Amino acid sequence: MISKKMSDALNTHMNLELYSAHLYLSMSSSANTMGLKGAANWFTVQYREEMTHFFKFYTYLVDQGENIALLASKAVPNKYKSLLDMLEQTLKHEQLITKCINELSEQAVQEKDHATQIFLQWFVTEQIEEENNDRDLIAKLKLVGDNGHGILMIDGEMGQRVFTPAPGTPVMI
Ligand code: OFO
């Protein structure tokens, strides 16, 4: 059993994970319009990962006997100046998610809610990887040059990304 306060906070975050999915799906579409098929692939994979994050929260709340609430989401941006702009927006968004996960973890500790602490542990670790991936791509793009040649090189690398759900992940897509 989890508290109403904890359940509400997890529900709010579950909706933020859905927003993340929509944000990256929109970025995939924007990358495609720029002719960046590799980046479009990378963001589609990111979209699918975010859907698994959403379903992890969904499943946890349902397993705790909660009735989830899907909240109205704000429109996601779909205009970006460049690939670098998209990657920097991605890192900024992931830093926000990290902050939210840390706040949820803090609340679980304060409430002595051990089950939620364990549930959130996966996300604490995942956020290190998420931010790291984004920082790597930004650094590489700046290194090779945010220009035609550099962008095509990074686009090729982004095209290699494959969706591989973590073991035990509920995949409902
Ligand atoms: Fe990108 O980690 Fe979920 O939101």
Side-chain angles (χ1 to χ4, degrees):
M1 184 188 162
I2 55 176
S3 73
K4 168 90 172 66
K5 192 176 163 204
M6 192 80 247
S7 168
D8 286 349
L10 291 170
N11 193 93
T12 299
H13 189 83
M14 177 191 72
N15 280 276
L16 187 57
E17 293 290 344
L18 197 53
Y19 176 85
S20 302
H22 292 163
L23 177 67
Y24 297 133
L25 190 59
S26 171
M27 283 188 187
S28 176
S29 158
S30 296
N32 192 57
T33 63
M34 293 175 191
L36 301 171
K37 300 282 184 199
N41 167 70
W42 193 93
F43 283 111
T44 299
V45 171
Q46 191 64 26
Y47 155 76
R48 297 186 72 188
E49 276 203 3
E50 297 301 348
M51 288 305 288
T52 68
H53 297 174
F54 163 75
F55 280 123
K56 270 180 185 277
F57 276 90
Y58 171 92
T59 305
Y60 182 69
L61 284 166
V62 167
D63 285 351
Q64 289 278 9
E66 300 295 320
N67 188 12
I68 62 106
L70 290 171
L71 310 173
S73 169
K74 59 177 179 168
V76 295
N78 71 344
K79 301 259 185 300
Y80 298 94
K81 287 187 285 231
S82 61
L83 178 59
L84 181 61
D85 182 30
M86 276 191 272
L87 292 171
E88 285 177 338
Q89 298 292 329
T90 298
L91 177 58
K92 197 169 150 211
H93 182 69
E94 289 305 326
Q95 287 167 337
L96 167 73
I97 298 292
T98 301
K99 184 170 171 284
C100 294
I101 294 287
N102 288 343
E103 285 169 1
L104 287 172
S105 299
E106 190 55 40
Q107 186 179 333
V109 169
Q110 278 169 12
E111 292 191 18
K112 297 188 172 56
D113 180 344
H114 301 292
T116 302
Q117 284 177 49
I118 292 166
F119 167 70
L120 289 170
Q121 208 60 54
W122 184 89
F123 287 93
V124 171
T125 310
E126 170 72 5
Q127 282 311 116
I128 298 170
E129 188 189 318
E130 291 260 3
E131 286 190 29
N132 207 22
N133 288 343
D134 302 336
R135 265 195 303 272
D136 269 4
L137 286 169
I138 291 168
K140 273 187 205 163
L141 186 50
K142 286 183 174 172
L143 195 67
V144 293
D146 182 21
N147 53 41
H149 209 76
I151 291 167
L152 282 180
M153 209 181 120
I154 299 299
D155 187 59
E157 180 180 327
M158 292 175 90
Q160 303 302 310
R161 189 178 183 191
V162 175
F163 174 63
T164 36
T169 302
V171 181
M172 296 160 75
I173 46 172

